[in-house]
Structures are given as C-alpha cells and as structure tokens.
Amino acid sequence: GAVFFAAGQRLKIENARGAARRAKAATHFDRLATRQLAEELTARQYAIARSIAATAGGAPEGPPADWLTATVDLWRTRHGPALARYEAVAEELTLDGDMSVSRLSLLNRKLAELVERTA
C-alpha cells in the first residue's frame, strides 16, 4: 500500500488520475477513453510499485516511515535516466491542470516505457 501511494505521488500519477476524473470529455468516446486511460495508469502504478518493492530485496520490516524513502530513493538512483525522461514529459504535460485525452495518452505511453525500463 505505502509503496503504491508513494509511486503515485512522486511520479504524479495521482495528479493525472485526478485530472482525468475532472476532464471535460467532448464525446462519449472521449469519456470512455479517459476512463480506460485512468485504469491503465493505475495498472502501471502497480507495476512501478512492484519494481520499487523489488529494490528492497525482501519484505521491509517496521513502519513505512522507517524504510519507504530510502527504498524509493535507491530505486530512483538505479533508474535515473529512465526516470528523467518520464519526469520531463510529465512536467511538460502540466499534470496539475486540465488533461485532455491526448495528454493522458502521452503520459500513459511514457509511463509504459518507464515500466518496461524499470522491470
């Protein structure tokens, strides 16, 4: 749970999902696409969380506050170039604002690439 939420927050996936929920879809198909993209973002967030958890090398002991930051930081260090590419695109898409289907699609694709590179 804690790793999933940390991944979502640090990679701005939570922001994107929130923007997808607030998106004003012009057509029925835009609404369907937005909903599907939000589901795919969630699946990719789980994949990233598994990758981060694997970095720990086993089940961490104690409360997340004791190990979460160090584990995420180690994962970030190991995957720096891939993360830099993803974060550059995420920043450019301005995830805190309105998200169109096209922006969500681009973010989803970059997140898929990040999952592939960090698996």
Short mmCIF file of all heavy atoms in Angstrom, two decimals, residues 33-66:
data_model
loop_
_atom_site.label_atom_id
_atom_site.label_comp_id
_atom_site.label_asym_id
_atom_site.label_seq_id
_atom_site.Cartn_x
_atom_site.Cartn_y
_atom_site.Cartn_z
N ALA A 33 -12.49 6.72 -23.36
CA ALA A 33 -11.03 6.71 -23.48
C ALA A 33 -10.38 7.23 -22.20
O ALA A 33 -9.39 6.67 -21.72
CB ALA A 33 -10.59 7.54 -24.68
N THR A 34 -10.93 8.29 -21.64
CA THR A 34 -10.38 8.87 -20.41
C THR A 34 -10.47 7.87 -19.27
O THR A 34 -9.51 7.69 -18.50
CB THR A 34 -11.11 10.17 -20.05
OG1 THR A 34 -10.97 11.08 -21.14
CG2 THR A 34 -10.57 10.79 -18.79
N ARG A 35 -11.60 7.19 -19.16
CA ARG A 35 -11.77 6.20 -18.10
C ARG A 35 -10.78 5.04 -18.28
O ARG A 35 -10.16 4.58 -17.33
CB ARG A 35 -13.21 5.67 -18.11
CG ARG A 35 -13.55 4.85 -16.89
CD ARG A 35 -15.02 4.48 -16.82
NE ARG A 35 -15.87 5.64 -17.03
CZ ARG A 35 -16.96 5.63 -17.83
NH1 ARG A 35 -17.31 4.54 -18.46
NH2 ARG A 35 -17.68 6.72 -17.97
N GLN A 36 -10.62 4.58 -19.53
CA GLN A 36 -9.69 3.49 -19.79
C GLN A 36 -8.25 3.91 -19.49
O GLN A 36 -7.48 3.15 -18.92
CB GLN A 36 -9.81 3.03 -21.24
CG GLN A 36 -8.90 1.87 -21.55
CD GLN A 36 -9.05 1.38 -22.98
OE1 GLN A 36 -9.80 1.92 -23.77
NE2 GLN A 36 -8.32 0.34 -23.32
N LEU A 37 -7.90 5.12 -19.87
CA LEU A 37 -6.54 5.60 -19.59
C LEU A 37 -6.29 5.69 -18.09
O LEU A 37 -5.20 5.35 -17.62
CB LEU A 37 -6.32 6.96 -20.26
CG LEU A 37 -6.15 6.90 -21.78
CD1 LEU A 37 -6.30 8.29 -22.39
CD2 LEU A 37 -4.80 6.29 -22.13
N ALA A 38 -7.28 6.13 -17.33
CA ALA A 38 -7.13 6.18 -15.87
C ALA A 38 -6.90 4.78 -15.30
O ALA A 38 -6.07 4.59 -14.40
CB ALA A 38 -8.36 6.83 -15.24
N GLU A 39 -7.60 3.79 -15.84
CA GLU A 39 -7.40 2.41 -15.39
C GLU A 39 -6.00 1.91 -15.75
O GLU A 39 -5.36 1.23 -14.95
CB GLU A 39 -8.47 1.50 -16.01
CG GLU A 39 -9.86 1.74 -15.46
CD GLU A 39 -10.94 0.99 -16.24
OE1 GLU A 39 -10.62 0.20 -17.16
OE2 GLU A 39 -12.12 1.20 -15.92
N GLU A 40 -5.53 2.26 -16.93
CA GLU A 40 -4.19 1.85 -17.34
C GLU A 40 -3.12 2.53 -16.48
O GLU A 40 -2.10 1.91 -16.15
CB GLU A 40 -3.96 2.15 -18.82
CG GLU A 40 -4.76 1.24 -19.73
CD GLU A 40 -4.60 1.57 -21.20
OE1 GLU A 40 -3.70 2.37 -21.56
OE2 GLU A 40 -5.37 1.01 -22.00
N LEU A 41 -3.34 3.78 -16.13
CA LEU A 41 -2.40 4.47 -15.24
C LEU A 41 -2.30 3.74 -13.91
O LEU A 41 -1.21 3.58 -13.35
CB LEU A 41 -2.82 5.92 -15.02
CG LEU A 41 -2.68 6.86 -16.21
CD1 LEU A 41 -3.32 8.21 -15.89
CD2 LEU A 41 -1.23 7.05 -16.60
N THR A 42 -3.44 3.28 -13.39
CA THR A 42 -3.45 2.54 -12.13
C THR A 42 -2.67 1.24 -12.26
O THR A 42 -1.86 0.90 -11.39
CB THR A 42 -4.89 2.25 -11.69
OG1 THR A 42 -5.57 3.49 -11.49
CG2 THR A 42 -4.93 1.45 -10.39
N ALA A 43 -2.87 0.52 -13.36
CA ALA A 43 -2.14 -0.74 -13.57
C ALA A 43 -0.64 -0.49 -13.65
O ALA A 43 0.16 -1.24 -13.08
CB ALA A 43 -2.64 -1.42 -14.85
N ARG A 44 -0.26 0.58 -14.32
CA ARG A 44 1.16 0.90 -14.43
C ARG A 44 1.73 1.35 -13.08
O ARG A 44 2.89 1.08 -12.76
CB ARG A 44 1.39 1.93 -15.52
CG ARG A 44 1.22 1.32 -16.90
CD ARG A 44 1.35 2.33 -18.00
NE ARG A 44 1.36 1.83 -19.34
CZ ARG A 44 0.45 1.06 -19.93
NH1 ARG A 44 -0.58 0.63 -19.26
NH2 ARG A 44 0.55 0.71 -21.19
N GLN A 45 0.92 2.03 -12.29
CA GLN A 45 1.36 2.43 -10.95
C GLN A 45 1.64 1.18 -10.11
O GLN A 45 2.62 1.14 -9.36
CB GLN A 45 0.30 3.31 -10.29
CG GLN A 45 0.70 3.85 -8.94
CD GLN A 45 -0.32 4.82 -8.38
OE1 GLN A 45 -1.18 5.33 -9.11
NE2 GLN A 45 -0.25 5.08 -7.10
N TYR A 46 0.80 0.17 -10.21
CA TYR A 46 1.06 -1.09 -9.50
C TYR A 46 2.37 -1.71 -9.97
O TYR A 46 3.15 -2.22 -9.16
CB TYR A 46 -0.09 -2.09 -9.70
CG TYR A 46 -1.23 -1.90 -8.73
CD1 TYR A 46 -2.48 -1.49 -9.18
CD2 TYR A 46 -1.07 -2.15 -7.37
CE1 TYR A 46 -3.53 -1.30 -8.30
CE2 TYR A 46 -2.12 -1.96 -6.47
CZ TYR A 46 -3.35 -1.55 -6.94
OH TYR A 46 -4.38 -1.37 -6.06
N ALA A 47 2.63 -1.67 -11.28
CA ALA A 47 3.87 -2.24 -11.82
C ALA A 47 5.09 -1.50 -11.28
O ALA A 47 6.09 -2.11 -10.90
CB ALA A 47 3.85 -2.22 -13.34
N ILE A 48 5.01 -0.19 -11.23
CA ILE A 48 6.11 0.62 -10.68
C ILE A 48 6.29 0.30 -9.20
O ILE A 48 7.41 0.15 -8.71
CB ILE A 48 5.85 2.13 -10.89
CG1 ILE A 48 5.88 2.49 -12.36
CG2 ILE A 48 6.81 2.98 -10.07
CD1 ILE A 48 7.24 2.42 -13.02
N ALA A 49 5.20 0.17 -8.47
CA ALA A 49 5.28 -0.16 -7.04
C ALA A 49 5.96 -1.51 -6.84
O ALA A 49 6.78 -1.66 -5.92
CB ALA A 49 3.88 -0.16 -6.42
N ARG A 50 5.65 -2.48 -7.70
CA ARG A 50 6.33 -3.79 -7.60
C ARG A 50 7.83 -3.65 -7.86
O ARG A 50 8.65 -4.27 -7.19
CB ARG A 50 5.70 -4.79 -8.56
CG ARG A 50 4.35 -5.32 -8.10
CD ARG A 50 3.86 -6.49 -8.94
NE ARG A 50 3.69 -6.14 -10.35
CZ ARG A 50 2.59 -5.62 -10.88
NH1 ARG A 50 1.54 -5.36 -10.11
NH2 ARG A 50 2.52 -5.35 -12.17
N SER A 51 8.18 -2.82 -8.83
CA SER A 51 9.59 -2.59 -9.13
C SER A 51 10.31 -1.94 -7.95
O SER A 51 11.42 -2.32 -7.59
CB SER A 51 9.72 -1.71 -10.39
OG SER A 51 11.07 -1.40 -10.65
N ILE A 52 9.66 -0.96 -7.34
CA ILE A 52 10.24 -0.30 -6.17
C ILE A 52 10.39 -1.30 -5.02
O ILE A 52 11.43 -1.37 -4.37
CB ILE A 52 9.39 0.91 -5.74
CG1 ILE A 52 9.45 2.01 -6.80
CG2 ILE A 52 9.84 1.44 -4.37
CD1 ILE A 52 8.46 3.13 -6.58
N ALA A 53 9.36 -2.10 -4.80
CA ALA A 53 9.40 -3.08 -3.71
C ALA A 53 10.51 -4.10 -3.95
O ALA A 53 11.19 -4.53 -2.99
CB ALA A 53 8.05 -3.78 -3.58
N ALA A 54 10.74 -4.48 -5.19
CA ALA A 54 11.81 -5.44 -5.50
C ALA A 54 13.18 -4.87 -5.16
O ALA A 54 14.11 -5.62 -4.83
CB ALA A 54 11.75 -5.83 -6.97
N THR A 55 13.30 -3.55 -5.21
CA THR A 55 14.56 -2.89 -4.86
C THR A 55 14.93 -3.16 -3.40
O THR A 55 16.11 -3.24 -3.07
CB THR A 55 14.44 -1.36 -5.09
OG1 THR A 55 14.13 -1.14 -6.46
CG2 THR A 55 15.71 -0.63 -4.74
N ALA A 56 13.93 -3.33 -2.56
CA ALA A 56 14.18 -3.56 -1.14
C ALA A 56 14.84 -4.92 -0.90
O ALA A 56 15.46 -5.13 0.14
CB ALA A 56 12.87 -3.47 -0.35
N GLY A 57 14.71 -5.82 -1.87
CA GLY A 57 15.36 -7.12 -1.73
C GLY A 57 14.67 -8.06 -0.76
O GLY A 57 15.22 -9.06 -0.36
N GLY A 58 13.49 -7.75 -0.38
CA GLY A 58 12.73 -8.59 0.55
C GLY A 58 11.68 -7.74 1.23
O GLY A 58 11.60 -6.53 1.01
N ALA A 59 10.90 -8.37 2.05
CA ALA A 59 9.84 -7.64 2.76
C ALA A 59 10.46 -6.71 3.80
O ALA A 59 11.18 -7.16 4.69
CB ALA A 59 8.88 -8.61 3.42
N PRO A 60 10.21 -5.41 3.67
CA PRO A 60 10.77 -4.49 4.67
C PRO A 60 10.13 -4.70 6.04
O PRO A 60 8.99 -5.13 6.13
CB PRO A 60 10.41 -3.10 4.12
CG PRO A 60 9.68 -3.31 2.86
CD PRO A 60 9.47 -4.76 2.65
N GLU A 61 10.88 -4.39 7.05
CA GLU A 61 10.38 -4.54 8.41
C GLU A 61 10.12 -3.17 9.01
O GLU A 61 10.84 -2.22 8.73
CB GLU A 61 11.38 -5.32 9.25
CG GLU A 61 11.54 -6.76 8.77
CD GLU A 61 12.47 -7.54 9.67
OE1 GLU A 61 12.73 -7.11 10.81
OE2 GLU A 61 12.94 -8.59 9.22
N GLY A 62 9.13 -3.10 9.84
CA GLY A 62 8.81 -1.87 10.53
C GLY A 62 7.84 -1.01 9.75
O GLY A 62 7.42 -1.36 8.64
N PRO A 63 7.49 0.12 10.31
CA PRO A 63 6.55 1.02 9.65
C PRO A 63 7.16 1.64 8.39
O PRO A 63 8.38 1.81 8.31
CB PRO A 63 6.25 2.08 10.70
CG PRO A 63 7.35 2.01 11.68
CD PRO A 63 7.91 0.62 11.62
N PRO A 64 6.33 1.95 7.39
CA PRO A 64 6.84 2.53 6.15
C PRO A 64 7.73 3.76 6.35
O PRO A 64 8.66 3.98 5.58
CB PRO A 64 5.58 2.88 5.36
CG PRO A 64 4.55 1.94 5.87
CD PRO A 64 4.88 1.73 7.32
N ALA A 65 7.45 4.54 7.37
CA ALA A 65 8.26 5.73 7.61
C ALA A 65 9.73 5.38 7.82
O ALA A 65 10.61 6.19 7.55
CB ALA A 65 7.72 6.48 8.83
N ASP A 66 10.00 4.15 8.26
CA ASP A 66 11.38 3.72 8.53
C ASP A 66 12.15 3.32 7.28
O ASP A 66 13.38 3.35 7.28
CB ASP A 66 11.39 2.54 9.51
CG ASP A 66 10.93 2.94 10.90
OD1 ASP A 66 10.80 4.15 11.18
OD2 ASP A 66 10.68 2.02 11.71
#
